[in-house]
Amino acid sequence: RRVHGGIASERHTMHPSAIDFKALWESCPSLFIACAPDDDLTVIAATEYYCRSLNRTRDQLVGKPLFATFPDSDNGSNKTIVDALRKAATDKTPQALSETFRFDIVQPGQDNGEEFQERYWQTIECPVFNNCHEVVALLHACRDVTDFVKLSDKGEQKQQLLQKLYSLNEEMASKLYAAEAKRKEIEETSKASLALALAHEAKKTQFIGRLCHELRNPLSGFLGNVELLSDTLAEAKALLESYKARADANHDAVLQLLDKASTLSKHALDCAAHQGNILNECLDISKIDAGKLELDESPCDLLGLVRTAVNMMSGKAEAKGLQLLANLLDTDVFIKTDGYRLRQVLLNLLDNAIKYTDVGSVNLTLQVHSPNSTYTDIVITIRDTGVGISEEDLPRLFQRFTQVGSSAKRQNGTGLGLVISKDLIHLMGGELLVRSQRGQGTSFVISLKCLNVSESEKQELLRARCNPNESTPNPKEAPPAGDTPFRVLIAEDNPFNQMVLVNMLQSVNLPVAVAGNGCEALEALKKEQFDVILMDIQMPVMNGLEATEKIREHEKLMGLAPIPIIGLSANAQQSDKDLAVSSGMDDYLVKPCVKNLLLSTLFRWVQSRSPPAADTNQQSVNEGA
């Protein structure tokens, strides 16, 4: 490519170094000519010295077959050279010809005539490669040895000169071979470095996934137990208050202790939630690095989404004595976007604004412009009256694991929230900008272009807004009186998680049975009938995926209605969820799973199924629990 694009043709854009090489080529006092690797060996470039040696202009050579400009010699040199050129193209290695070729070259003669001049050349045929190691040209390098040949009458001197010539020729060939070997070595080293970098990235992604999984498992038990403790304390407090009229002063002390325990449990929940957020940030940044974070664009009520984010952060702002204001529109805005990820960005930005604001307010402003019926332009601005960011710190604001400002004002966190927010908005096709001055607050501006929803999608969103709980039963309520409580099989190997799940379900009077692995779950299904299964993914002996596949095979073989199976796992990546669904699971919950979400999911799947199974063996199921 260097010869074709850098020497013969000016149609291609050349790097400055290629321009220098072209000048060097044209002024080189050597017999060099470059051919295309086609059937005719079409000339694509020639040095000025080569042209003068043949008494031809460059235009008379370029574009024609290599030997079309002068006749063949008696010894068939043309065929020998052509064969060598083709071998160089095929083998991708230089071909040094040791023999000397005689050519009769037309030169200007007397009285403006022409005469043939006998010349002797030795040649080396070399392939020219592009970056993909493809042959794009052939270099026909010649050395004029006429003077050496004509020393034939000088005997020993001729032999010495010829030997020197052959040595020079072999030296040139050796250098060409060495250069080719070096190029191959560099290419192999580059491939090895790339493979090493990719392997390192894959190991990092796997490590983060394992880290999140290992941390989520104990976190699941911690959250569940504290949540149950909180519920228990609330019930105990209510019971004591009902007897307060008949109680003595000691009961007041008990109530105070219960209040304190309730506060402590709330703090523990907050700490656990913070740990969960850190794990989610690590997982998100791992997905973004690996290019595996996928957006789920679906119809979205933008005003409802923004209000939810503001309401979720209002308690934190109130605790710091800050005003959290939302300047929204009077009209509905329905768009298609990943509502979960957009809310994640808003929560990150609002949390960041509250964190770095001590006095004043945090304001969220929503602006919408619909230039046509297809798209809607959205601008969301979050402005605070906090400490602001200095000009020198602004370029580092979106760097990973970085918190700008003085160490005294830095807050807890991974330093990933703003990085993830910027990457998420970029994935959505938008932009996240920041404006700030030290001591004058900060403004973050989100700009998005979103698809509009159809009329049917709009009506569905309006119905969901008016009836937010029409399809979701209240998980705190027991099954309606007179109904048979549905039975749950828990397949979970971790004793702490078993206890949490059992207590959560028994708190709403649901009978349960527990299996420690997939094999035990299959044995329990042979003995009892259940309405729904909570299936952990990673278990000893037989994991949840294999157990689910065997259950589905048995149902299909026996013609049974599929029992709802809900997967439980600390792995939160989409690929893990897809694997669970492909094995036959109906739903997938990520640990730690809060009580309300667990119960609402169970109620939803049981209600979508046919009437509950018969009440046979109900007593033994309860005993197994």
Side-chain angles (χ1 to χ4, degrees):
R1 186 172 61 178
R2 298 189 184 115
V3 174
H4 189 197
I7 298 172
S9 174
E10 295 183 359
R11 295 174 296 174
H12 304 287
T13 302
M14 294 180 293
H15 191 275
S17 63
I19 296 174
D20 296 338
F21 182 65
K22 177 181 177 183
L24 177 63
W25 169 275
E26 293 179 346
S27 62
C28 180
S30 300
L31 298 167
F32 290 165
I33 190 167
C35 310
D38 54 21
D39 293 338
D40 295 327
L41 297 176
T42 306
V43 176
I44 58 177
T47 62
E48 184 67 22
Y49 187 71
Y50 191 97
C51 296
R52 288 201 309 270
S53 297
L54 294 183
N55 192 31
R56 294 290 185 269
T57 65
R58 188 175 278 107
D59 291 338
Q60 290 176 315
L61 295 177
V62 175
K64 296 181 177 58
L66 178 60
F67 296 104
T69 56
F70 52 88
D72 196 356
S73 62
D74 295 336
N75 59 2
S77 59
N78 286 5
K79 183 178 184 308
T80 303
I81 294 174
V82 166
D83 291 342
L85 282 166
R86 299 199 190 286
K87 185 172 177 58
T90 304
D91 297 349
K92 296 185 177 182
T93 56
Q95 302 294 316
L97 301 178
S98 59
E99 57 189 300
T100 302
F101 301 99
R102 183 182 66 83
F103 298 96
D104 294 325
I105 300 174
V106 177
Q107 296 290 347
Q110 297 179 354
D111 301 326
N112 297 324
E114 293 182 338
E115 63 182 21
F116 286 93
Q117 188 178 83
E118 183 179 275
R119 306 299 297 175
Y120 293 88
W121 288 357
Q122 285 189 335
T123 67
I124 295 178
E125 322 305 329
C126 303
V128 181
F129 305 96
N130 61 11
N131 293 335
C132 298
H133 198 54
E134 299 170 336
V135 177
V136 295
L138 297 167
L139 181 64
H140 176 53
C142 306
R143 183 193 298 272
D144 192 328
V145 295
T146 302
D147 293 337
F148 288 91
V149 173
K150 289 184 177 181
L151 292 175
S152 58
D153 296 335
K154 295 187 178 181
E156 186 177 350
Q157 185 179 6
K158 170 192 171 182
Q159 294 299 323
Q160 291 176 353
L161 291 173
L162 286 175
Q163 186 61 43
K164 184 177 181 180
L165 173 64
Y166 293 143
S167 298
L168 291 173
N169 202 39
E170 289 175 358
E171 182 181 353
M172 181 186 295
S174 176
K175 289 181 178 179
L176 287 172
Y177 281 118
E180 173 65 12
K182 187 65 175 178
R183 188 199 63 77
K184 288 183 178 179
E185 180 183 351
I186 293 173
E187 182 180 354
E188 291 301 321
T189 302
S190 299
K191 289 181 179 179
S193 298
L194 177 61
L196 187 63
L198 291 175
H200 175 75
E201 184 64 28
K203 287 181 179 179
K204 186 189 78 170
T205 301
Q206 292 172 1
F207 168 75
I208 292 178
R210 289 197 302 270
L211 172 68
C212 293
H213 178 270
E214 293 303 319
L215 289 176
R216 280 180 185 275
N217 259 327
L219 179 61
S220 177
F222 175 73
L223 271 177
N225 278 291
V226 173
E227 188 174 13
L228 290 170
L229 171 63
S230 180
D231 290 346
T232 303
L233 290 173
E235 293 174 5
K237 181 179 178 181
L239 184 62
L240 283 174
E241 286 179 341
S242 68
Y243 289 98
K244 187 174 181 180
R246 293 176 293 163
D248 54 24
N250 291 332
H251 284 85
D252 290 332
V254 173
L255 287 173
Q256 291 176 1
L257 289 174
L258 289 175
D259 283 337
K260 183 177 180 180
S262 180
T263 301
L264 291 173
S265 67
K266 182 180 182 303
H267 289 167
L269 284 170
D270 291 340
C271 293
H274 178 66
Q275 183 183 358
N277 289 335
I278 292 176
L279 291 174
N280 289 333
E281 287 181 350
C282 291
L283 193 59
D284 282 344
I285 206 69
S286 175
K287 289 180 182 178
I288 291 171
D289 284 346
K292 294 181 179 180
L293 194 146
E294 300 177 356
L295 298 179
D296 179 20
E297 287 197 353
S298 57
C300 173
D301 178 0
L302 182 61
L303 289 183
L305 184 149
V306 173
R307 288 193 184 101
T308 299
V310 172
N311 290 337
M312 290 175 68
M313 300 305 299
S314 60
K316 188 170 185 178
E318 184 178 350
K320 290 190 69 174
L322 302 175
Q323 285 186 300
L324 180 54
L325 307 174
N327 302 312
L328 305 180
L329 305 174
D330 296 330
T331 58
D332 291 323
V333 182
F334 300 111
I335 56 172
K336 285 186 178 179
T337 189
D338 190 327
Y340 172 79
R341 292 299 182 182
L342 180 55
R343 187 179 68 174
Q344 178 183 351
V345 172
L346 293 178
L347 290 174
N348 270 337
L349 296 180
L350 288 170
D351 180 68
N352 197 70
I354 295 170
K355 188 186 299 182
Y356 289 96
T357 302
D358 294 328
V359 179
S361 63
V362 175
N363 292 269
L364 184 149
T365 303
L366 173 63
Q367 296 172 298
V368 172
H369 173 60
S370 299
N372 52 55
S373 59
T374 304
Y375 290 97
T376 294
D377 294 323
I378 297 167
V379 177
I380 302 175
T381 304
I382 296 175
R383 186 178 69 256
D384 63 60
T385 58
V387 295
I389 306 168
S390 65
E391 186 175 350
E392 58 269 20
D393 282 337
L394 275 174
R396 300 190 299 113
L397 188 63
F398 293 107
Q399 292 180 3
R400 296 179 181 187
F401 312 107
T402 300
Q403 287 188 346
V404 300
S406 64
S407 58
K409 291 300 295 182
R410 290 177 184 170
Q411 306 285 338
N412 293 329
T414 60
L416 292 174
L418 289 179
V419 178
I420 293 171
S421 297
K422 188 176 181 68
D423 287 341
L424 288 176
I425 294 299
H426 179 72
L427 285 174
M428 294 178 189
E431 192 175 21
L432 175 59
L433 301 175
V434 59
R435 296 191 295 266
S436 184
Q437 286 186 347
R438 196 67 172 162
Q440 298 186 21
T442 303
S443 295
F444 285 93
V445 182
I446 301 170
S447 300
L448 286 173
K449 182 185 287 291
C450 301
L451 284 169
N452 294 328
V453 300
S454 65
E455 185 60 31
S456 60
E457 291 169 333
K458 178 180 178 181
Q459 295 303 320
E460 184 66 27
L461 288 170
L462 287 172
R463 282 195 296 271
R465 179 193 291 176
C466 296
N467 303 288
N469 298 316
E470 64 178 0
S471 61
T472 305
N474 185 352
K476 289 186 176 295
E477 294 179 0
D483 288 355
T484 302
F486 58 84
R487 286 162 292 207
V488 184
L489 173 62
I490 300 172
E492 166 67 62
D493 62 307
N494 187 292
F496 294 103
N497 290 339
Q498 288 178 357
M499 181 178 64
V500 169
L501 292 171
V502 168
N503 280 292
M504 283 183 175
L505 299 181
Q506 288 183 343
S507 69
V508 290
N509 301 323
L510 292 178
V512 298
V514 177
N517 56 60
C519 285
E520 292 182 9
L522 294 179
E523 289 299 319
L525 286 170
K526 291 178 182 178
K527 300 175 183 178
E528 316 294 343
Q529 294 188 39
F530 299 93
D531 299 287
V532 64
I533 301 174
L534 290 174
M535 183 77 74
D536 185 30
I537 301 296
Q538 295 187 8
M539 294 184 291
V541 185
M542 180 185 292
N543 63 47
L545 300 177
E546 188 178 353
T548 299
E549 290 173 353
K550 291 185 177 297
I551 292 171
R552 295 304 184 216
E553 290 173 2
H554 177 73
E555 291 170 341
K556 185 176 180 180
L557 181 65
M558 303 302 295
L560 302 174
I563 181 173
I565 302 177
I566 301 168
L568 294 173
S569 176
N571 293 324
Q573 299 198 43
Q574 185 61 42
S575 58
D576 299 306
K577 299 178 183 179
D578 295 339
L579 188 62
V581 173
S582 65
S583 73
M585 292 185 180
D586 299 284
D587 211 333
Y588 187 95
L589 296 176
V590 178
K591 300 175 183 178
C593 179
V594 296
K595 178 180 175 182
N596 284 4
L597 177 60
L598 175 68
L599 294 178
S600 64
T601 303
L602 287 172
F603 274 70
R604 174 164 51 85
W605 279 106
V606 171
Q607 287 186 348
S608 67
R609 192 183 180 227
S610 57
D615 196 31
T616 58
N617 297 315
Q618 178 64 55
Q619 182 178 355
S620 59
V621 173
N622 283 325
E623 291 173 353

